[in-house]
Structures are given as C-alpha cells and as structure tokens.
Amino acid sequence: MEEDIDTRKINNSFLRDHNYATEADIISTVEFNSTGELLATGDKGGRVVVFQREQESKNQPHRRGEYNVYSTFQSHEPEFDYLKSLEIEEKINKIRWLPQHNAAYFLLSTNDKTVKLWKISERDRRPEGYNLKDEEGRIRDPATITTLRVPVLRPMDLMVEATARRIFSNAHTYHINSISVNSDYETFMSTDDLRINLWNLEITNKSFNIVDIKPANMEELTEVITAAEFHPNQCNTFVYSSSKGSIRLCDMRAAALCDNHSKFFEEPEDPSNRSFFSEIISSISDVKFSHSGRYLMTRDYLTVKVWDLNMESKPLETYQVHDYLRSKLCSLYENDCIFDKFECVWNGSDSVIMTGSYNNFFRMFDRNTKRDVTLEASRENSKPRAILKPRKVCVGGKRRKDEISVDSLDFSKKILHTAWHPSENIIAVAATNNLYIFQDKVN
C-alpha cells in the first residue's frame, strides 16, 4: 500500500460450491498463527479448516504464498441445555492460536459456551512388529508367540491429526463473544455479555472471574461487554469494550476483581448528531491492541477509531468506513443489519488498518498517508492472480461509469471477518461461505 494502493492481487480463494452452500458453511472467524504459515477458519457448522502456506520451490518461486488445506476437523457439535431448555449452537465464534514451541500446533476455539484447546500434529511413521498384536491390531494368542520381535518405525503417508487436549466448559451463563491468549502463554480469558473469566491453560475445572458487570437487578442493566483483549506484551493489562461505545483498560495487579478500570476511553457524542440510532451505532463490535501495544483500535457500526493509550479524552484518528449509510439507518434497522458485528485488523507494522463493509467490500486506511481504498472480494471479479480495482460508492447526483450507487448495495453480502498476516502484506477475507486470500502484487 505504499505507492500502488490498489495493486493487491488475488492469491487464491477457498471457494465452496455456491449451489451447495448452506448456513453451516458460513465462515464465522479467520485467524493467522504467529508466523503466518497457518491460517484457520471456523464456520457456523462447528468446523475448523486450517490452511498451510506452500513452501517456495526454486522452479516456481511465485507459488510461495499459496495456502492449501492442511487439516479439517469438527471442533464443536450442537448441544442442548436441558436445565434451561436452550439449544447451544455449534458455530465457532473465535479462534486464537498459541505460539508454537514444538512440532505440533495448538489453537483455542470457542462456541457460545465451551472453549476447546486443540493440538494439530503430523504423523509420517507408524510402528510395526508388535509382539502381542498382529498386523491388523488384533491380540495374538500367547501360545503362538515363539520369538521376541523388536518393533520398528516404518514411513507412511503424512497424516495430520487434530485432537482436543482440553475442554474449558460450564463457566459462562451468557454467550462467549471473545477469547484472548495472554502474553505469559499460561493463561487466557473468555468473555461473555456480563463477565470475563481468566483460565489457566492446564486447568479445566476452574476459572477466575476478573470482571463482572451484572447488576443485582437485571432490569437496571444498561450495557453489555462486546469484546475483550489482552495487551500484547504486558500480561497484567487487558481492555474490554461495551455496547455503549466505551473502552475500559484494566490492570490485574490493582485488584482481584477488575470492576474498577484504570483508564476509560470514550468519545463524547455531538448533541447535534443525536438520533434514535445513536446508541446502537456507537456499540463497539471489536477492539484490538496494536502490535506495539501503544494504540487501541475499535470498530463501531460506521467508523474505525485509533486511540493512544496515553490519551483518554478522544481518539487519535477516526476513519469513516461507510458514512454513506447514515441516510439508510432506518432500513438497516428494519432488516437487522444495524446489529452486524464487523471486525478490524492491523497490518504487521501497525501502519495500515482494515475492516469490512457491505456488498463484499472491505476498506483499508493508511495511517501515514491518510489514503484509503475500497476493494471488493467477489467471485465475479476474482480470477486467481487478477489485480483488484478500487471501488467507489456514489451517494447522490450523477453516477460515474465505475461507481456503484448506494441504493444498489447488497446488504446480504457482508465482510465481517478479516485477518492480516503478521509480517507480510497477505490478507484473508471471509465473504459469507468463501475465503479469499489476497497478497501484494508480486513482480
């Protein structure tokens, strides 16, 4: 995005057949691991698909960067809570990778109620020559064993196995909306509408409640927690955002229960802009620390804001994602789109931010040059290695040839989930049941 802001190439897209796309195929989360070699997606059907990046070969150097399916497994199943007569969906709400310490990979995935720790490992050898079992694995008759054999490892086709190592359950009354791994890599937190719980990765039968905003009388409830995240390098610090548009920074050293925040970020509303929808559109749907830990990024319905942790009074930067929708809030309220929860991501150097919009558009904002671009992830104009053309939305008056009118935007096509490679200009964009991977133009 330095000079050619629009020279983003489509790299490869994981497209499921449109004719067979079901509700279960809709992608609900996308996440790169800490090296960017793996990319995981979760869907509404409870499945996790992990993609692995191709290694560069001498005869095909341009193939470096293509992601192919590495492992697919069923993470969560639909359940039924008989005590509350509630169905618990299998939909994966969030995936978070743990740093890699050995040959295996570990990730946390969560649905509305249960967090699971998965181990993904490779097997390319199998033991043969058991004494007590035959080649099919049946127990042999001891009378037929006359010699002692030494078992050996024989090469076999590579097998990738996913096993659930820990299950963290029964700690949330309300739906889990986010999980975050601490920088100590020993603990993580899970967040629902009213509470945040701290877990040790080794202990599944108890968690520690660190935030509880549930009022004594539920009729007095005025806000809910919408997202929470740990600081990238201070293990005692975390933030959580609320449906009222505020962000609270908490320090776990101050008290066991972090009901009193150490910093409070909120932009006072301009009274002249007040409307029936003000409170709904100010609700924060995502909060992310920058990689440096100095800044916070928040996404509400119409804007992305960047906050300096040392300045609570107002955001450092505000970017309009789709300001042309202000006139459409009434119809967006009627079709429930106004409650959509868009996510936002930083690039590896914290200089560019990305977030999604409607009509399969996603937006990028360069913090240094203040330039921005709207790009579209769609099957129609995404042939592999095609260059994406910037899109423009026309609000009123005469529409130019390459512009799209705000009245013809498709609100059923929305990009809620995106991810950015931790060190390179490679992005993953989930458009309903399709995953698109784009990279900077390779000369």
Side-chain angles (χ1 to χ4, degrees):
M1 278 191 62
E2 252 84 273
E3 283 122 38
D4 283 317
I5 205 157
D6 53 346
T7 57
R8 203 150 277 276
K9 263 200 174 182
I10 183 161
N11 164 306
N12 172 329
S13 56
F14 178 60
L15 304 170
R16 292 176 171 142
D17 191 332
H18 251 343
N19 304 326
Y20 297 102
T22 62
E23 179 79 5
D25 292 327
I26 293 173
I27 298 171
S28 53
T29 183
V30 188
E31 190 76 14
F32 279 103
N33 75 339
S34 57
T35 61
E37 292 303 299
L38 296 182
L39 170 68
T41 66
D43 63 25
K44 285 193 171 182
R47 290 180 300 262
V48 172
V49 181
V50 179
F51 299 87
Q52 187 180 42
R53 195 174 183 189
E54 282 285 311
Q55 293 304 310
E56 190 171 328
S57 60
K58 286 194 176 111
N59 51 355
Q60 287 182 310
H62 71 274
R63 279 187 67 84
R64 169 80 173 142
E66 291 203 354
Y67 284 80
N68 294 320
V69 177
Y70 177 62
S71 173
T72 306
F73 58 93
Q74 188 72 29
S75 173
H76 288 71
E77 302 279 358
E79 294 172 57
F80 192 80
D81 184 337
Y82 292 98
L83 289 174
K84 297 195 179 82
S85 293
L86 274 181
E87 265 185 89
I88 301 168
E89 285 184 359
E90 65 273 38
K91 175 191 161 204
I92 309 290
N93 292 343
K94 283 281 185 291
I95 288 172
R96 288 288 179 265
W97 289 92
L98 272 68
Q100 190 181 1
H101 295 304
N102 53 27
Y105 302 99
F106 289 88
L107 64 83
L108 288 167
S109 66
T110 184
N111 68 346
D112 285 340
K113 298 288 179 192
T114 306
V115 185
K116 293 185 181 182
L117 174 68
W118 290 90
K119 177 185 180 184
I120 301 167
S121 52
E122 295 183 357
R123 262 212 340 222
D124 59 356
R125 294 178 176 193
R126 67 163 178 265
E128 280 182 10
Y130 288 109
N131 289 289
L132 301 177
K133 294 178 186 171
D134 63 13
E135 301 311 321
E136 270 76 57
R138 291 186 296 262
I139 301 292
R140 290 165 64 182
D141 179 7
T144 63
I145 301 171
T146 55
T147 56
L148 187 67
R149 296 197 290 177
V150 178
V152 290
L153 288 172
R154 296 245 186 269
M156 59 177 259
D157 290 341
L158 180 69
M159 238 175 77
V160 181
E161 294 178 316
T163 46
R165 297 304 302 270
R166 309 255 189 287
I167 295 175
F168 307 89
S169 57
N170 304 325
H172 286 278
T173 311
Y174 307 97
H175 292 346
I176 298 172
N177 55 45
S178 53
I179 48 176
S180 178
V181 181
N182 200 345
S183 58
D184 62 8
Y185 305 133
E186 290 180 10
T187 54
F188 74 93
M189 64 180 172
S190 56
T191 308
D192 66 28
D193 291 346
L194 299 179
R195 292 194 178 103
I196 301 176
N197 291 333
L198 183 70
W199 301 82
N200 187 302
L201 283 160
E202 300 294 322
I203 301 165
T204 59
N205 60 354
K206 56 175 179 279
S207 63
F208 194 73
N209 182 225
I210 52 173
V211 171
D212 187 349
I213 64 163
K214 185 179 179 183
N217 178 5
M218 281 296 271
E219 287 175 9
E220 293 166 11
L221 183 69
T222 57
E223 64 181 333
V224 294
I225 302 170
T226 53
E229 191 177 63
F230 271 119
H231 191 282
N233 42 44
Q234 295 172 9
C235 62
N236 53 285
T237 309
F238 67 94
V239 291
Y240 68 91
S241 58
S242 88
S243 57
K244 274 194 162 176
S246 57
I247 310 110
R248 290 169 175 84
L249 182 86
C250 301
D251 189 336
M252 292 193 288
R253 296 172 302 185
L257 196 61
C258 302
D259 281 358
N260 295 324
H261 46 267
S262 42
K263 289 192 177 181
F264 182 78
F265 304 87
E266 187 176 43
E267 186 170 30
E269 198 197 356
D270 181 356
S272 62
N273 286 343
R274 182 122 190 98
S275 74
F276 169 75
F277 304 108
S278 295
E279 198 162 306
I280 303 173
I281 62 171
S282 67
S283 174
I284 293 172
S285 54
D286 197 16
V287 58
K288 292 262 168 55
F289 274 106
S290 62
H291 295 82
S292 66
R294 170 73 190 269
Y295 303 105
L296 262 182
M297 170 168 55
T298 59
R299 171 75 155 97
D300 56 41
Y301 191 65
L302 294 176
T303 64
V304 173
K305 291 172 183 165
V306 175
W307 302 79
D308 187 325
L309 285 192
N310 300 330
M311 185 171 80
E312 298 169 61
S313 55
K314 63 176 197 287
L316 202 61
E317 300 151 24
T318 301
Y319 300 98
Q320 299 296 335
V321 179
H322 37 218
D323 204 42
Y324 47 78
L325 294 182
R326 270 189 202 278
S327 59
K328 300 258 170 233
L329 291 177
C330 204
S331 53
L332 289 162
Y333 178 75
E334 283 168 7
N335 64 15
D336 279 353
C337 283
I338 202 167
F339 302 106
D340 285 335
K341 292 178 168 44
F342 292 95
E343 293 171 9
C344 52
V345 287
W346 301 89
N347 72 339
S349 61
D350 299 333
S351 60
V352 183
I353 54 186
M354 172 172 66
T355 190
S357 179
Y358 293 103
N359 208 66
N360 280 356
F361 289 168
F362 58 98
R363 304 267 285 134
M364 288 185 179
F365 303 95
D366 190 312
R367 297 180 59 211
N368 300 326
T369 64
K370 299 298 181 229
R371 290 164 75 185
D372 65 275
V373 65
T374 303
L375 300 169
E376 184 181 4
S378 74
R379 296 168 70 94
E380 289 69 44
N381 58 13
S382 296
K383 308 247 180 325
R385 313 223 160 264
I387 290 175
L388 290 183
K389 293 189 174 64
R391 302 300 306 263
K392 282 200 166 55
V393 177
C394 135
V395 180
K398 279 190 80 173
R399 183 167 68 87
R400 292 208 189 112
K401 182 168 65 84
D402 56 344
E403 289 183 337
I404 181 167
S405 159
V406 69
D407 295 317
S408 55
L409 293 175
D410 187 343
F411 292 110
S412 67
K413 292 179 175 174
K414 53 192 95 167
I415 289 176
L416 304 175
H417 315 287
T418 55
W420 202 308
H421 189 288
S423 56
E424 294 178 42
N425 274 340
I426 296 176
I427 57 171
V429 175
T432 51
N433 61 313
N434 298 322
L435 175 70
Y436 297 85
I437 298 172
F438 302 102
Q439 71 181 57
D440 248 357
K441 187 175 177 182
V442 185
N443 295 326

